[in-house]
Amino acid sequence: MADESDADRDATRSGHIPVFLERTIELFRPVVEAAAQEGRVPVIVDGTLGLGGHSSHLLAEFGELRILGVDRDPEALEMATRRLTAYRDRFTPVHARFDDFDRVVAALPGESRDEAGPAIDGILLDFGVSSMQLDVAERGFAYSVDSPLDMRMDPTTGPTAADILADYPRDDLARVLRVYGEERFARQIAAAIVRRRDTDPVVTSSQLVELLYDTIPQGARRTGGHPGKRVFQALRIEVNAELEAVENAVPGYLDLLRLGGRAVFMSYHSLEDKIVKRELATRTASRTPAGLPVELPGHGPEFEAITRGAEKASQEEIDHNPRSASVRVRCVRRIDGRTP
């Protein structure tokens, strides 16, 4: 038996508490039981592994389950793999962005294939930022501690937040802050960054927070929380192309589900949830042309909704885990064969 104490301490130090844990187990229980009845091993892809909180509990709950854990952050992947050592025969780590389907499909076990190709029983996509990334100062995600403005989920590749502040034209900066952060003073903030970057570029979180306090009117700072919250969120989304990955991942994973398979999506930002909601609305709707009096054979919905709209955390869970306050959870089940 593996010694899990070091891995558990990693999770504890990071403040890692899985969101919607019991409900997640409940949502996936039918696909595990269906696989057992069919005499095969169920496979779930945890496309946003983080520190492996959801995966560790799913593996402990279902002794026959196999999980592919996908994460672009090599440090998080290593820590999660260490945490899940006890399940090494049933857990496969994959270093990739969650919409890198080539790597995900290549790592699937043989039992996750049928005559139509790859077919998985479940997909879990928790779009929230890992607690480890938020809480480790040197990653640059948090506005509450001074650190270099990095914000890359995979620190081995791509531009940092500081690079974006140094290189983006003013209008592009304003767009990022306005669209991804819903920041009212996006134009003023972008202009302030551009004015100072030739002589005093913004490269640390404290410098950016100071600039925000100097730029946003005092009256506007009395409401809406810390002025860094929206700006840091916007930069993180841009650095990691998060919405692009969500746009790719939602339809891509739905297409990989076998008949009866379930997808669980956890969104924390309205833009993420809109992407999920739009795709699920299309997939759960009839494909019969409007105006016809009867459903055409083979034109029924591909999926049915398991959750009624988006489920939210209870007050009890929010009190226990404040980061669950903004989560929106949607789940669907495939009810039609995969299209060629």
Side-chain angles (χ1 to χ4, degrees):
M1 177 65 69
D3 180 4
E4 295 183 276
S5 59
D6 289 344
D8 288 339
R9 281 195 292 270
D10 287 338
T12 301
R13 281 196 301 269
S14 72
H16 182 66
I17 305 174
V19 172
F20 254 68
L21 178 59
E22 295 303 321
R23 181 60 169 146
T24 300
I25 292 172
E26 178 186 344
L27 289 170
F28 282 126
R29 187 178 301 280
V31 301
V32 175
E33 293 176 347
Q37 291 173 2
E38 296 169 12
R40 55 181 181 79
V41 176
V43 175
I44 290 175
V45 175
D46 184 346
T48 47
L49 179 66
L51 290 177
H54 287 102
S55 284
S56 66
H57 287 86
L58 286 167
L59 289 163
E61 180 74 17
F62 305 116
E64 63 274 39
L65 178 65
R66 291 194 63 171
I67 286 183
L68 257 69
V70 183
D71 207 289
R72 66 166 74 175
D73 185 335
E75 184 178 356
L77 193 66
E78 191 276 330
M79 290 170 66
T81 301
R82 188 165 67 247
R83 181 182 189 183
L84 300 173
T85 299
Y87 309 107
R88 57 184 173 273
D89 294 336
R90 297 190 288 123
F91 171 73
T92 303
V94 181
H95 180 216
R97 198 169 87 166
F98 56 75
D99 63 337
D100 188 343
F101 296 110
D102 287 343
R103 291 190 185 182
V104 173
V105 169
L108 288 173
E111 56 263 38
S112 293
R113 301 176 188 276
D114 59 22
E115 63 279 359
I120 58 178
D121 296 278
I123 171 64
L124 171 63
L125 289 177
D126 179 349
F127 298 125
V129 182
S130 168
S131 300
M132 181 200 71
Q133 292 162 339
L134 288 172
D135 296 339
V136 177
E138 57 265 27
R139 301 300 296 272
F141 286 93
Y143 50 80
S144 57
V145 292
D146 189 26
S147 62
L149 284 171
D150 192 313
M151 297 195 191
R152 292 172 297 172
M153 292 182 182
D154 182 349
T156 67
T157 185
T160 67
D163 293 331
I164 286 173
L165 296 181
D167 298 335
Y168 274 32
R170 183 191 61 187
D171 289 347
D172 287 346
L173 272 177
R175 172 188 55 78
V176 167
L177 300 181
R178 183 182 67 255
V179 175
Y180 297 159
E182 299 177 303
E183 172 54 62
R184 291 166 52 201
F185 298 96
R187 290 183 62 194
Q188 294 92 322
I189 295 168
I193 291 169
V194 170
R195 277 196 303 270
R196 68 176 280 178
R197 67 187 180 189
D198 287 338
T199 57
D200 186 20
V202 177
V203 295
T204 68
S205 54
S206 63
Q207 288 176 325
L208 180 54
V209 168
E210 180 182 6
L211 180 145
L212 296 177
Y213 272 100
D214 290 343
T215 305
I216 298 174
Q218 183 176 359
R221 288 191 265 113
R222 294 196 182 103
T223 60
H226 194 286
K229 180 178 180 180
R230 296 178 297 276
V231 171
F232 276 64
Q233 171 185 279
L235 289 173
R236 189 203 76 222
I237 290 174
E238 178 69 9
V239 166
N240 297 290
E242 291 180 29
L243 295 184
E244 174 190 311
V246 175
E247 289 271 13
N248 295 335
V250 176
Y253 279 114
L254 291 177
D255 289 340
L256 288 178
L257 282 176
R258 67 169 69 248
L259 192 63
R262 292 188 174 199
V264 175
F265 302 101
M266 299 183 179
S267 305
Y268 298 77
H269 186 282
S270 62
L271 295 176
E272 295 167 347
D273 190 51
K274 285 178 182 177
I275 294 169
V276 175
K277 182 179 179 180
R278 182 177 65 243
E279 184 66 24
L280 297 190
T282 299
R283 299 295 188 107
T284 56
S286 169
R287 292 167 287 174
T288 295
L292 293 185
V294 296
E295 187 86 75
L296 292 179
H299 286 68
E302 296 176 80
F303 291 83
E304 68 172 355
I306 301 300
T307 54
R308 186 173 181 179
E311 293 187 2
K312 302 178 183 179
S314 65
Q315 188 59 52
E316 181 181 0
E317 176 163 0
I318 294 171
D319 291 342
H320 179 61
N321 182 9
R323 285 176 178 165
S324 68
S326 59
V327 72
R328 301 293 181 269
V329 179
R330 299 179 188 270
C331 177
V332 292
R333 180 175 75 96
R334 179 175 279 284
I335 57 174
D336 190 21
R338 290 174 296 150
T339 55

